[in-house]
């Protein structure tokens, strides 16, 4: 059974194939619409956390491809509370053709995949956010060209789930990756080691530092995310103080390439990790990035649910 749980699981050629498929599906949709490749197919969307982009873009992706999605809020299934995660997987997968889940613990995603009869898609866990990662690679390719070797992505802020997927994606495709943030908030060591392994295979250069200057110098893509992720709300105040020197603002952008693009997975906490001026400025690709969630997820769905692809 094939799932979509982490970019780390994909061979570089598979990742590239998904990106190409996303490009095709996007172009097709812009020309007037996609054919009903998922006619009669259904997707259950299980959420333990709030969402705007993931929820709406998956729902619309299914509709555009002729299928249907069912939203299940955190209060309905109560994953692991009302019913065990394996039992939820066993039951939902008797009804639907795929399951997308947004969870707290990544072990819940792994358990869903283990006990499901149908493909499971990770719609964000505390470990990673592979749907975001694929959409972001699509946005980078659109802005910087398909040859990512030697281009540099700088992630500024918390070594979180989004940073993890970007590290894996960049290293699989040979892109240089730097992460910069306050000491003690870097990527987990097992994640970094995995990134180093992929980088050794692809030729990516890696940097993890608390010093902004070397991380931002020569950067083609500046990326940031919230300083406190969902589930870390109690730490938000303390983190706002600790991360303050790492705000993406005009002064910081001046240190990057002139044609640098600025990315944020959203939701943004304007005035904290990013200023209004940058979020709404000429380097920002935030809205294309959000749109690309839908196109990337169409590629994931078609890859998992359609047997014969041209
Ligand atoms: N970027 C992202 O996953 O947004 P949502 O939390 O709104 O789904
Ligand atoms: N790191 C953020 C991403 C939100 C899309 C979180 O987990 O809350």
């Amino acid at each position: 059974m094939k799932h979509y749980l982490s970019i780390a699981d994909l061979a570089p050629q598979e990742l590239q194939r998904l990106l190409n498929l996303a490009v095709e599906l996007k172009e097709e949709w812009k020309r007037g619409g996609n054919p009903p490749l998922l006619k009669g197919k259904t997707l259950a969307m299980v959420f333990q956390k709030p969402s705007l982009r993931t929820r709406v873009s998956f729902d619309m992706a299914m509709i555009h491809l002729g299928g249907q999605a069912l939203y299940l809020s955190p209060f309905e299934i109560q994953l692991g509370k009302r019913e065990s995660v394996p039992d939820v997987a066993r039951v939902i997968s008797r009804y639907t053709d795929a399951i997308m889940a947004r969870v707290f613990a990544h072990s819940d995603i792994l358990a869903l995949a283990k006990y499901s009869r149908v493909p499971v898609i990770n719609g964000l866990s505390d470990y990673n956010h592979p749907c975001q990662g694929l959409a972001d690679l699509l946005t980078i390719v659109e802005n910087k060209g398909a040859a990512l070797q030697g281009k540099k992505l700088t992630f500024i802020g918390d070594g979180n789930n989004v940073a993890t997927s970007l590290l894996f994606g960049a290293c699989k495709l040979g892109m240089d990756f730097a992460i910069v943030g306050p000491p003690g908030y870097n990527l987990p060591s097992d994640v970094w080691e995995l990134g180093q392994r992929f980088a050794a295979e692809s030729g990516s250069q890696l940097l993890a530092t608390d010093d902004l200057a070397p991380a931002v110098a020569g950067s083609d893509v500046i990326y940031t995310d919230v300083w406190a992720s969902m589930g870390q709300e109690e730490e938000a105040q303390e983190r706002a103080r600790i991360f303050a020197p790492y705000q993406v603002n005009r002064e910081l952008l001046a240190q990057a390439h002139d044609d640098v693009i600025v990315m944020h997975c959203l939701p943004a906490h304007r005035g904290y990790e990013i200023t209004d001026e940058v979020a709404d400025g000429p380097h920002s690709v935030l809205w294309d990035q959000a749109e690309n969630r839908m196109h990337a997820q169409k590629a994931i769905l078609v890859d998992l649910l359609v047997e014969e692809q041209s």
Side-chain angles (χ1 to χ4, degrees):
M1 176 61 56
K2 196 166 160 188
H3 303 289
Y4 187 78
L5 308 182
S6 171
I7 290 179
D9 301 336
L10 301 173
Q13 307 86 287
E14 285 179 294
L15 179 57
Q16 193 58 59
R17 197 174 47 77
L18 277 179
L19 271 175
N20 296 346
L21 185 55
V23 170
E24 276 171 40
L25 289 162
K26 179 171 181 176
E27 282 170 3
E28 196 173 60
W29 185 68
K30 297 269 178 190
R31 283 198 303 269
N34 300 118
L37 296 173
L38 301 183
K39 189 165 188 287
K41 303 278 188 192
T42 53
L43 173 73
M45 306 193 294
V46 178
F47 283 90
Q48 281 190 317
K49 295 172 175 174
S51 170
L52 165 58
R53 279 144 293 273
T54 306
R55 190 229 158 130
V56 179
S57 59
F58 264 109
D59 205 343
M60 294 307 115
M62 286 301 287
I63 291 173
H64 294 168
L65 291 165
Q68 198 162 344
L70 174 70
Y71 170 72
L72 294 156
S73 80
F75 308 105
E76 286 169 284
I77 293 191
Q78 299 174 42
L79 201 64
K81 291 194 189 83
R82 184 168 182 267
E83 203 162 353
S84 77
V85 178
D87 286 0
V88 168
R90 287 180 178 113
V91 173
I92 299 185
S93 65
R94 295 283 177 123
Y95 303 136
T96 67
D97 297 294
I99 301 171
M100 185 278 288
R102 166 167 287 193
V103 302
F104 286 95
H106 189 65
S107 55
D108 285 345
I109 288 284
L110 297 177
L112 283 172
K114 182 170 175 192
Y115 293 98
S116 169
R117 286 181 164 191
V118 300
V120 171
I121 300 169
N122 178 2
L124 180 146
S125 68
D126 285 356
Y127 175 54
N128 64 353
H129 196 359
C131 295
Q132 185 70 53
L134 185 67
D136 293 343
L137 290 170
L138 175 60
T139 308
I140 293 170
V141 164
E142 285 175 348
N143 284 277
K144 297 290 166 190
L148 296 181
Q149 196 90 35
K151 299 271 189 243
K152 180 175 174 184
L153 164 58
T154 302
F155 186 93
I156 302 180
D158 187 27
N160 63 17
N161 44 8
V162 171
T164 295
S165 289
L166 291 169
L167 169 74
F168 294 157
C171 291
K172 291 273 176 184
L173 299 183
M175 200 180 181
D176 296 344
F177 181 89
I179 179 159
V180 56
Y185 291 90
N186 224 314
L187 284 164
S189 53
D190 58 326
V191 167
W192 192 246
E193 279 159 25
L194 211 47
Q196 284 176 315
R197 219 177 74 203
F198 301 146
E201 287 160 13
S202 69
S204 298
Q205 301 291 314
L206 294 183
L207 174 69
T209 176
D210 56 7
D211 186 0
L212 277 164
V216 175
S219 191
D220 300 289
V221 181
I222 298 279
Y223 200 117
T224 192
D225 183 15
V226 290
W227 293 334
S229 285
M230 291 180 274
Q232 297 174 329
E233 287 77 8
E234 283 178 8
E235 293 175 43
Q237 234 182 335
E238 188 195 358
R239 282 171 172 258
R241 185 177 51 76
I242 295 170
F243 281 84
Y246 297 92
Q247 184 185 63
V248 176
N249 53 34
R250 189 183 354 156
E251 294 72 38
L252 183 135
L253 277 202
Q255 301 173 47
H257 277 319
D258 288 347
D259 63 351
V260 68
I261 57 168
V262 174
M263 300 181 71
H264 190 311
C265 58
L266 304 174
H269 291 73
R270 288 163 175 261
Y272 290 87
E273 74 271 5
I274 192 165
T275 58
D276 282 332
E277 187 183 30
V278 171
D280 300 325
H283 297 279
S284 166
V285 295
L286 267 49
W287 321 117
D288 288 339
Q289 188 186 350
E291 178 187 321
N292 281 340
R293 289 293 304 277
M294 184 171 76
H295 307 302
Q297 287 153 201
K298 282 181 184 173
I300 295 165
L301 290 163
V302 168
D303 182 59
L304 293 175
L305 295 175
V306 179
E307 274 176 24
E308 288 302 318
Q309 292 158 54
S310 58

